Amino acid sequence: GQGDDLRSKGRTFDSAPSSIDELPVWNFDGSSTAQAEGHDSEVLLQPVKMVPDPFRGAPHIIVLCECVKPDGTPAAKNTRRDAAEIFAKDEAAQPWYGMEQEYTLFCKDGVTPL
């Protein structure tokens, strides 16, 4: 990836939600992230999955959202909906997901790669 397909946004609530249904739809200006044209830039964040935050612990959560246009159709770079439809065809399958991490190690001079 180019690093343009994963973003985060933080939000604080007065109490911890107990289900995904308690989370509101949120929005952002998609033109500032190249996800929408400037003349029609609203992108909605539709919560689709809520999990405990493994880094900060309870009561913190991480919420995966789907980016959609105001009419409910997927935003330009939203590939999650297509993937969800494919995976729903075989719910017995257990796909694995992972994040690719790349590193470059340098000599002590901080300039020369090993």
Side-chain angles (χ1 to χ4, degrees):
Q2 305 300 318
D4 64 348
D5 53 354
L6 182 64
R7 292 181 173 78
S8 67
K9 192 170 184 177
R11 188 161 185 176
T12 302
F13 293 98
D14 292 331
S15 61
S18 59
S19 76
I20 196 81
D21 298 326
E22 295 178 19
L23 296 169
V25 173
W26 207 9
N27 71 329
F28 67 95
D29 177 1
S31 66
S32 62
T33 59
Q35 291 178 286
E37 297 292 326
H39 66 279
D40 186 19
S41 64
E42 183 176 33
V43 177
L44 303 179
L45 294 170
Q46 176 68 52
V48 294
K49 180 75 175 177
M50 179 174 78
V51 297
D53 185 332
F55 306 105
R56 295 177 294 168
H60 303 283
I61 59 172
I62 293 177
V63 178
L64 175 68
C65 294
E66 181 173 12
C67 293
V68 297
K69 298 176 187 176
D71 67 3
T73 59
K77 295 184 179 183
N78 176 357
T79 57
R80 195 212 73 81
R81 185 173 292 181
D82 288 341
E85 289 174 3
I86 291 168
F87 297 145
K89 292 177 182 178
D90 185 4
E91 292 185 2
Q94 297 181 1
W96 286 26
Y97 302 91
M99 295 177 65
E100 179 182 357
Q101 298 180 5
E102 296 180 9
Y103 301 92
T104 302
L105 302 177
F106 291 91
C107 293
K108 288 183 181 182
D109 65 8
V111 177
T112 309
L114 291 175

